[in-house]
Amino acid sequence: MADKAKTAPQAAKKPADAKPAAKKEEKPKAADGVVKKKAVKKLPVVPESWLKISKCKKGQRPNMLLQRRKIRAVRLLRRKQNLLRALNYEKNYLKKERAVVEQARIAKKKGNIYIPAEPKVAFVMRIRGINKVAPKVRKVLQLFRLRQINNGTFIKLNKATKNMLRIAEPYITYGYPTLRSVRHLIYKRGFVKHRHSRIPITDNFVIERKLRGHRLQCVEDMVYHIYTGGACFKKVSNFLWPFKLNTPTGGWRKKNNHYVEGGDFGNREDKINELIQRMV
C-alpha cells in the first residue's frame, strides 16, 4: 500500500492567482439549429436635425392652432365691419345726391337757378412726353407724380393746385371724376406703395396694415376719402401709386390743341369720365 501511495502521481496544485478558464460563448441557435447573426445597428433613416425640427413643431402646435383661430376670428370681424362701412358710405352718397336734387327743385319753384358747389377733386393725366419740357413745367409734373405718358393721379383742388394746372396745361388733361370712375380706377388699376414697391390691392389687409392709424381698413374707405376730398385725402392719394393707363381706344384727337378747340389737353370737366372708361 505504501508503494502504491508513493508511485501515485501527486495532484498538481493550482496557483492562487490563476483565473478560471473563460467559457466559450455559445452562439444562439434557432429551433432548426441555424446559427443567428448579431443584428448590426443601422443609422437612422431620418436626419437628426429633421427629428429635432419635428419635435419642436409638435411642441408649438397648440399655440399655432390658437393663433390660427384668432386670425380667423379677426378676419370674420373685419369682413362684417367692412360691409357695414360700405353700406354707410352708400347711404351718404345717396343722401348728398338727393340733397342736390331737392335744392335745385326749391330754387326752380322760387324762380332762381341752383348752382352746385365747385368740385373738390380732379383727376389729372399726362398726355405728352419729355421732349422740350420747360424746367417749371417739369417741376410741376414731378410734384403731380406724372413721370410717364398716360399716368394719372387724384389732386385736391385749391388755389395753389389750380395755378400749377395752368402752368402744366399743354402737357396734361384733367377733369372732375364721378364716384363710378373713382371706384373703377381703384378696383381695376389700383396699386399701393409699400416699402418703395408697387403692390396690387389683392385684399383689404394691404390697406389696413398701412392706414390703420388713420382708421382706414378697406378699399371703400379709400374711395370715400378720394371722392369727397375727406380729411385723409392726402394720405390716401400718396399711398396710391400713380395709375398706369392704356392709350384710349380710338386714339387721341390732337395733342397740340386744347380740348375746346377739338384737341386733347386742358380741362375736360365731366367729360374726363368718358376718357377714363376708354383708358382703363
Side-chain angles (χ1 to χ4, degrees), residues 118-127 144 146 151-157 161-162 165 169 172-179 181-182 185 226-227 233 245 252 258-259 264-276 279:
E118 287 186 5
K120 296 178 181 178
V121 178
F123 184 71
V124 186
M125 211 181 301
R126 182 167 180 168
I127 61 169
F144 283 159
L146 302 173
N151 272 16
T153 53
F154 291 106
I155 288 165
K156 203 169 188 177
L157 292 172
T161 52
K162 282 176 183 177
L165 288 169
E169 200 169 40
I172 58 173
T173 185
Y174 61 97
Y176 316 127
T178 58
L179 177 62
S181 296
V182 173
L185 284 165
I226 289 288
Y227 178 63
F233 176 87
L245 305 174
W252 300 101
H258 196 282
Y259 181 74
D264 287 309
F265 77 78
N267 189 2
R268 293 174 178 245
E269 296 186 358
D270 297 333
K271 301 293 180 183
I272 193 75
N273 299 298
E274 187 189 336
L275 182 65
I276 289 167
M279 293 182 78

Side-chain angles (χ1 to χ4, degrees), residues 25-38:
E25 288 183 5
E26 290 182 1
K27 290 179 181 179
K29 290 183 179 181
D32 304 336
V34 182
V35 178
K36 283 185 178 179
K37 288 184 180 179
K38 269 190 178 180

Side-chain angles (χ1 to χ4, degrees), residues 248-267:
T249 50
W252 300 101
R253 294 190 295 179
K254 198 172 182 183
K255 289 184 181 181
N256 294 333
N257 286 8
H258 196 282
Y259 181 74
V260 176
E261 298 167 355
D264 287 309
F265 77 78
N267 189 2

Side-chain angles (χ1 to χ4, degrees), residues 32-55:
D32 304 336
V34 182
V35 178
K36 283 185 178 179
K37 288 184 180 179
K38 269 190 178 180
V40 181
K41 195 176 181 183
K42 292 181 181 179
L43 289 169
V45 179
V46 182
E48 193 178 350
S49 59
W50 289 18
L51 291 168
K52 282 181 180 177
I53 289 164
S54 63
K55 191 179 178 182

Side-chain angles (χ1 to χ4, degrees), residues 12-30:
K13 289 181 181 180
K14 290 180 182 179
D17 300 335
K19 291 180 181 178
K23 289 181 180 179
K24 286 183 180 179
E25 288 183 5
E26 290 182 1
K27 290 179 181 179
K29 290 183 179 181

Side-chain angles (χ1 to χ4, degrees), residues 98-166:
R98 284 171 188 166
V100 169
V101 172
E102 194 62 34
Q103 285 173 353
R105 281 175 185 167
I106 291 165
K108 194 177 179 181
K109 276 182 183 178
K110 293 180 178 179
N112 297 327
I113 297 168
Y114 173 72
I115 299 168
E118 287 186 5
K120 296 178 181 178
V121 178
F123 184 71
V124 186
M125 211 181 301
R126 182 167 180 168
I127 61 169
R128 290 177 71 182
I130 58 170
N131 290 344
K132 298 177 183 179
V133 181
K136 208 169 187 180
V137 176
R138 192 189 291 118
K139 184 65 180 176
V140 170
L141 293 172
Q142 187 184 335
L143 291 169
F144 283 159
R145 300 185 298 156
L146 302 173
R147 295 178 180 272
Q148 295 174 330
I149 295 174
N150 298 339
N151 272 16
T153 53
F154 291 106
I155 288 165
K156 203 169 188 177
L157 292 172
N158 52 39
K159 191 180 178 182
T161 52
K162 282 176 183 177
N163 288 334
M164 288 164 76
L165 288 169
R166 283 196 200 100

Side-chain angles (χ1 to χ4, degrees), residues 63-94:
N63 295 334
M64 284 172 71
L65 288 168
L66 188 66
Q67 198 173 356
R68 279 178 190 170
R69 283 174 191 163
K70 281 181 180 177
I71 290 165
R72 199 178 297 161
V74 168
R75 279 179 182 169
L76 286 168
L77 181 66
R78 287 283 182 274
R79 198 178 294 171
K80 286 177 183 176
Q81 287 175 350
N82 294 341
L83 282 168
L84 288 170
R85 282 180 175 227
L87 287 169
N88 287 334
Y89 291 143
E90 200 62 39
K91 284 176 185 176
N92 286 341
Y93 300 142
L94 289 169

